[in-house]
Structure formats: C-alpha cells, structure tokens
C-alpha cells in the first residue's frame, strides 16, 4: 500500500493524494505536509485549505531528534536514552552535553565541557548592578527573565547565530550563568549578600552553595541533596515541543540571539499552566491539609469544585515517568530533611485517584509537578523559586531545540496563518456620525 492519504473534497468531488512523512516510529508522529492542503480548492482563486489547530494540539512544528515522548506508554528518552537510566546513571552536566551534542561525551569531551561550564559561572559585575534595579521583593522568575535578556547587551556577538563556534560560546555561558543569576535573584529578594560560585563544587552543588551559603568559609553541600537536585535537573532538562520550547523556537526563528530567546522561553515557563504547576500542587496539598481529608476533597474535585493539580498532561496519557522517579527519590531526600507531611497527603491522593475510574478513564495520572514541589520545599527552596528551578535545567533543552531549529534547512521564521472571522470591508465613519 502507498504511504499516502487520499482526501476527497466533497464540494468538488476532486481527490488529492498526499504523502505521509515518517519519523523514527511509523505509528507515532507520522504526519502530512500541511502545505499540501492548500492544493484543495473550490476554484482557481481559492486560497486553499489551512489546518486549524488552536494550541497546536495535533501539529508537528518541526522534525526533532532530541527528545522522544510516547504519551500512551509513558516513555521519555533523551537522544534515545531512557530517562530512568539517565536519572540513575548520569549527571545533569552529562545529560546537558547529550541533549546538545546528540551523543554521550567521552571522558575527555566531558572534562572539557565541565571545565568550560564551570569557568563561565561568574556574571559581569554590571549585571549585578542591573539586578539591584528590581523592586526589593521582585519575584525571582521575573528577575531571571529580565536579567537573561539583559545578557544580550553584554555579549553582542551572540547575534551571529549562523556561526557554530559563536553559538557554542553562548551555550556555555547560558548554562553556566543561569544558576548564578537565579541564586543572585533569590538572595536579592531576601536581602542577603550574594554567595559567589565555587568552582570546586559540582553544577548542582554550586547552585546549593550560591543559594544557601551563610558565613561558613566554604559551603559543603549535603551529598544526598546535591544528588537529588541533580536528578531533578536531569528530569527537567528537556521535554520536546512544550510551551517554552515552542517559544524558544519561535523567537529564535527570527534570528534573535539566544539570550533574548531563552528569556522568552523562561517567560513562557513563568505561566501557572507551565512552570507554575508545582506551586499550584503545593497549594492544593496545603488546602487538603491532612490525608484524612483527601476522600472528601476528591469528591469535590469530581463535583467540579476544584481542579486536581499535578495530574494529567497534554502528552502523557499514562504515568509521567518523571513522577515515578521523583516518588522514589523522595525517600532519600526526606531521610535528610525530615518527612514533608504533605507527602502523606500526596500519596493518599495518588492512591485514591489511581483507583477511581473517574480519573483513570480521563487518563489523569500524576505528572512531574505532582512530586517536584514537595521535594523542593523539603530541600528548603521557597515556592517562588519553583519555576526558576525548572528554568535552570531546561536551559540546555531550550538551547538544543534552538540550535536544531537554527541548523534545520527546512525551518523558516515562525509565522502561522489564521481563519479570519472579522468584519468584511466597510467604509470609515467620521466620529461625528458614529452612534
Ligand atoms: C514540561 O516538562 O515541559 C512539561 O511537562 C510540559 C509539557 O511537556 O508540555
């Protein structure tokens, strides 16, 4: 059988044979070229058909080889490697290299990559001055979005997006400086002096240092929490064409530099439906308050009084594999931090929801946000830092998506069409004659 679909336009009786494009998996992600729909016309001066897809629910905006999600089977792989393997065997910096370069690094490549990222953690002192312009209680995510965009004015060569070496230098800088800017934004918001990067520490350990170092001569991260944060960073590194990755690709498609493109992506992540979801989960768990009240709360969710936060996903129609990993990680973290009482509420809510056909039939399973907030809170991060903790690791994913878009010869500036539903032509009416 031919790899095509045949469309019959019943308005004209004409048939159109359209080729099917395949990716790695013939039954997952196959597509037709939307431009072919424009051939379907009722007359020669007909514009032809568009595909109407609010929120791009069923639209492939690109071909990508970075991350594969299979929502039905609960699969997440970075460059073909299952997230479960990477979370247990790799590190965030190694995963960032994998996502950006397509292959796991050799020891030599990894040492060079680590050296470059480690030695780009410092930010220009003028960036610090820029940050003092924010209101004293500025939300750290707002400060991050603004400051990352400002980096564009410090590294003017970044606009040369066609040059691989220039791209590579900005990629080091952004991955290295996001934790510094994030930690500085937090310290500023609580009136604390900045804790500068410590190049002796790991990527995650240094972030904990810049966040929590007090007056001790040298901050020593708790190894269990350092590893837990690294796993959280691995799980949040990329997620194919999510809202913020789409923003990164869209802004970057105009050949804007990577700093303002990352700022746009972080701005998208700032939204409560994206990076703010784990904060909403924490509020829900606090609202429930006790595992004994979960049954009653679930009844009220089913009655439509509340939305069950941290459950369900645009892609996953099965358990989010990242949530499963975090649920296991919680035990290690709470051994150090003491158990977060909200965990019992979360586990009871999950138990009830997974047994209740109301949720199962709607394929509402826990997603990564359901457990990440509980862990971040237990580790001492304030709720305001939750979207920032998402943006830091996702920077490598955004940059990988951006680089793939910039080097994809099939890509062009993102400029969707529309189905116009407004007024037909009409004449201007002078103000004195308007009703
Ligand atoms: C993400 O990791 O970006 C979130 O799960 C949202 C998504 O993938 O749409």
């Amino acid at each position: 059988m031919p790899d095509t679909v045949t469309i019959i336009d019943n308005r004209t009786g004409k048939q159109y044979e359209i080729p099917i494009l395949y990716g790695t998996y013939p039954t997952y992600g196959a597509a037709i070229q939307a431009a072919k729909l424009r051939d379907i016309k009722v007359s020669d001066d007909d514009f032809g058909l568009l595909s109407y897809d609010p929120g791009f629910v069923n639209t492939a905006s690109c071909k990508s080889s970075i991350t594969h999600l299979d929502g039905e089977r609960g699969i997440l792989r970075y460059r073909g490697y299952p997230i479960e393997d990477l979370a247990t065997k790799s590190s965030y910096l190694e995963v960032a290299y994998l996502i950006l370069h397509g292959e796991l690094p050799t020891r030599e490549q990894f040492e060079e990559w680590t050296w470059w990222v480690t030695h780009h953690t410092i930010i220009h002192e003028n960036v610090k001055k820029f940050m003092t312009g924010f209101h004293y209680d500025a939300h750290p995510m707002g400060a991050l979005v603004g400051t990352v965009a400002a980096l564009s004015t410090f590294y003017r060569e970044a606009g040369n997006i066609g040059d691989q070496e220039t791209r590579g230098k900005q990629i080091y800088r952004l991955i290295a400086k996001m934790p510094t800017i994030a930690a500085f934004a937090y310290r500023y918001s609580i009136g604390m002096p900045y804790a500068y990067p410590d190049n002796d520490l790991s990527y995650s350990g240094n972030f904990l240092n810049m966040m929590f170092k007090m007056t001790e001569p040298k901050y020593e991260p708790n190894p269990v929490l350092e590893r837990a944060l690294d796993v959280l960073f691995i799980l949040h590194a990329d997620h194919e064409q999510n809202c913020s990755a789409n923003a990164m690709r869209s802004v970057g498609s105009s050949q804007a530099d990577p700093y303002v493109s990352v700022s746009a992506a972080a701005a998208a992540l700032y939204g409560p439906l994206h990076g703010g979801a784990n904060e909403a989960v924490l509020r829900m768990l606090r609202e429930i308050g006790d595992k004994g009240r979960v049954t009653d709360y679930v009844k009220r969710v089913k009655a439509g009084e509340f939305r069950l936060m941290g459950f369900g996903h645009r892609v996953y129609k099965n358990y989010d594999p990242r949530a499963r990993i975090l649920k296991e990680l919680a035990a290690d973290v709470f051994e150090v931090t003491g158990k977060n009482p909200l965990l019992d509420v979360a586990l009871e809510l999950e138990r009830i929801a997974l047994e209740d056909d109301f949720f199962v039939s709607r394929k509402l399973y826990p997603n990564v946000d359901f457990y990440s907030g509980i862990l971040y809170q237990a580790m001492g991060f304030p709720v305001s830092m939750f979207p920032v903790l998402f943006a830091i690791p996702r920077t490598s994913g955004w940059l990988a998506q951006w680089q793939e878009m910039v080097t994809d010869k099939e890509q062009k500036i993102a400029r969707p069409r529309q189905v116009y539903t407004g007024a037909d032509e009409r004449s201007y009416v002078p103000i004195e004659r308007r009703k």
Side-chain angles (χ1 to χ4, degrees), residues 239 242 274 313 322 390 394:
H239 214 235
N242 56 86
H274 193 5
H313 193 278
R322 301 169 296 177
F390 200 143
R394 189 53 62 88

Side-chain angles (χ1 to χ4, degrees), residues 69 76 78 235-245 269 273-275 277 312-316 320 322 367-369 390 394 398:
L69 303 186
L76 168 54
Y78 295 153
L235 299 179
H236 286 85
D238 191 60
H239 214 235
E240 59 140 89
Q241 303 313 313
N242 56 86
C243 178
S244 52
L269 187 66
L273 292 182
H274 193 5
H313 193 278
R314 169 71 69 81
V315 176
Y316 290 120
D320 182 334
R322 301 169 296 177
N367 60 38
V368 68
D369 302 310
F390 200 143
R394 189 53 62 88
W398 290 333

Side-chain angles (χ1 to χ4, degrees), residues 121-136 138 143 147 179-198 206-216:
T121 51
I122 294 279
I123 56 175
H124 193 293
E125 283 294 292
N126 285 357
V127 175
K128 269 179 46 184
K129 291 179 194 151
F130 172 87
M131 293 183 77
T132 57
F134 288 111
H135 204 258
Y136 74 93
T147 305
T180 308
I181 294 170
F184 280 20
Y186 168 65
R187 302 278 285 210
Y188 178 79
S189 72
I190 58 172
M192 285 280 291
Y194 297 135
Y196 276 74
D198 179 344
N206 180 42
F207 180 62
L208 292 171
N209 158 58
M210 295 187 290
M211 281 288 299
F212 300 124
K213 182 177 184 295
M214 303 308 279
T215 58
E216 67 273 33

Side-chain angles (χ1 to χ4, degrees), residues 93-94 97-98 101 103-114:
L93 269 192
E94 184 178 72
Y97 183 98
L98 169 67
H101 297 85
E103 298 294 337
L104 288 168
T106 63
R107 185 178 302 282
E108 185 184 359
Q109 287 168 331
F110 184 60
E111 286 171 359
E112 181 186 8
W113 169 250
T114 303

